């Protein structure tokens, strides 16, 4: 990864927050074509939402790793449409689909710019099982995050020395306080932000995703290896139910 990506001057946030979304969310004509799939019991003493692992491609998989229906989301932490999908889907996706063992959910932090990289580096500081809940909590307070990004001090970050820019963004955006309240200390977060090897790895992962998937915006949803072409939870839910997750 080049330093230009990591330390790119911060773009106007109204533009950054708007440049996401896409997909055709028409749901008419979706029929229950697949036979209902039987529930799959979780390992003894666990629920499927407690079964989380990091995947070889750099995502975070929650649920039955052998689930017959595999839901994959590429999401940006600065994307309002991603926040909307999380807010609409989080509770029902876990309780009705993942917990049944019929559906697994893989979340991948997609980097649309340096702001995403900084937030994702902090989010991925901790254990794998914390990433998806932290993403959901971040998206739940997305309006507050967006307001912080409108802080006039954001426009001054690019004038700081390069080695201070990322920490300044994390401070002004409220990310340091947000994650500190959830168990990732400010010192730990700043250490993760400064990890150039991890930043390079994440940028290279994204380049690999761009080569291997049709990512036209965020969120981009795949179901069983195929692009869903929809981005709303209602539309995705209908697809899952039609495939037998009911």
């Amino acid at each position: 990864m080049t330093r230009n990506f990591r330390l790119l001057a911060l773009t106007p946030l109204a533009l950054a927050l708007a440049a996401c979304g896409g997909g055709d969310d028409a749901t008419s004509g979706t029929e229950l074509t697949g036979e209902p799939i039987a529930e799959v019991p979780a390992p003894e003493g666990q629920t499927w939402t407690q079964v989380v692992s990091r995947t070889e491609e750099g995502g975070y998989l929650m649920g039955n790793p052998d689930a017959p229906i595999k839901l994959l989301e590429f999401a940006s932490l600065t994307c309002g449409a991603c926040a909307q999908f999380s807010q609409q889907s989080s509770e029902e996706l876990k309780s009705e689909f993942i917990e049944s063992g019929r559906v697994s959910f893989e979340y991948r932090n997609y980097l649309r710019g340096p702001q995403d990289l900084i937030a994702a580096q902090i989010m991925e500081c901790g254990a794998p099982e914390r990433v998806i809940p932290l993403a959901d909590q971040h998206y739940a307070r997305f309006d507050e995050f967006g307001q912080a990004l409108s802080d006039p001090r954001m426009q001054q970050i690019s004038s700081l020395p390069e080695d201070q820019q990322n920490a300044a963004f994390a401070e002004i955006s409220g990310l340091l306080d947000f994650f500190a309240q959830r168990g990732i200390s400010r010192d730990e977060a700043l250490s993760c932000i400064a990890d150039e090897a991890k930043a390079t790895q994440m940028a290279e992962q994204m380049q690999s995703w761009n080569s291997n998937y049709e990512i036209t915006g965020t969120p981009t949803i795949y179901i069983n290896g195929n692009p869903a072409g929809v981005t709303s939870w209602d539309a995705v839910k209908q697809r899952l139910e039609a495939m037998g997750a009911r």
Side-chain angles (χ1 to χ4, degrees):
M1 181 192 65
T2 67
R3 292 181 63 84
N4 286 337
F5 180 85
R6 180 160 172 73
L7 298 170
L8 184 66
L10 299 178
T11 58
L13 270 301
L15 175 61
L17 294 173
C20 61
D24 180 2
D25 282 343
T27 58
S28 59
T30 301
E31 299 176 355
L32 301 180
T33 56
E35 291 295 323
I37 299 171
E39 292 192 15
V40 181
E44 186 174 355
Q46 290 183 294
T47 63
W48 279 124
T49 53
Q50 295 173 324
V51 178
V52 180
S53 60
R54 194 170 191 276
T55 67
E56 292 183 357
E57 289 192 82
Y60 293 84
L61 181 71
M62 174 181 285
N64 177 8
D66 298 317
I69 302 175
K70 302 182 187 299
L71 179 66
L72 166 64
E73 178 190 9
F74 295 91
S76 157
L77 293 171
T78 60
C79 171
C82 301
Q84 184 177 49
F85 182 81
S86 173
Q87 292 163 10
Q88 293 174 347
S89 69
S90 177
E91 182 176 348
E92 191 172 21
L93 173 59
K94 293 182 178 68
S95 63
E96 300 296 326
F97 294 91
I98 297 175
E99 288 287 23
S100 73
R102 300 180 179 110
V103 178
S104 65
F105 172 61
E106 183 178 353
Y107 173 87
R108 298 187 188 180
N109 276 317
Y110 187 81
L111 311 178
R112 298 188 301 128
Q115 301 95 338
D116 284 297
L117 176 60
I118 296 165
Q121 280 188 283
I122 303 175
M123 183 176 290
E124 297 187 17
C125 269
E129 60 267 21
R130 299 187 59 190
V131 170
I132 293 175
L134 283 172
D136 286 337
Q137 291 169 38
H138 166 78
Y139 288 131
R141 41 82 76 175
F142 192 78
D143 288 346
E144 179 184 341
F145 176 65
Q147 290 172 4
L149 295 179
S150 299
D151 190 307
R153 292 176 294 171
M154 284 289 178
Q155 304 304 320
Q156 302 170 13
I157 288 178
S158 60
S159 65
L160 295 173
E162 287 188 347
D163 61 355
Q164 298 178 24
Q165 292 180 12
N166 295 342
F169 173 80
E171 179 70 63
I172 298 169
S173 67
L175 288 172
L176 291 180
D177 287 341
F178 171 80
F179 286 109
Q181 293 165 3
R182 290 158 178 80
I184 300 175
S185 71
R186 293 170 66 90
D187 287 345
E188 184 180 8
L190 290 171
S191 176
C192 289
I193 290 172
D195 187 344
E196 291 287 348
K198 174 66 172 177
T200 298
Q201 179 188 38
M202 294 176 74
E204 289 175 347
Q205 280 174 178
M206 189 192 66
Q207 292 169 1
S208 176
W209 299 341
N210 286 336
S211 298
N212 295 315
Y213 296 87
E214 298 175 18
I215 302 175
T216 57
T218 51
T220 286
I221 307 293
Y222 269 69
I223 302 176
N224 282 359
N226 298 308
V230 295
T231 58
S232 75
W233 170 238
D234 283 345
V236 171
K237 177 183 175 181
Q238 287 193 28
R239 297 288 177 87
L240 299 179
E241 291 174 338
M243 294 173 70
R246 62 185 190 278

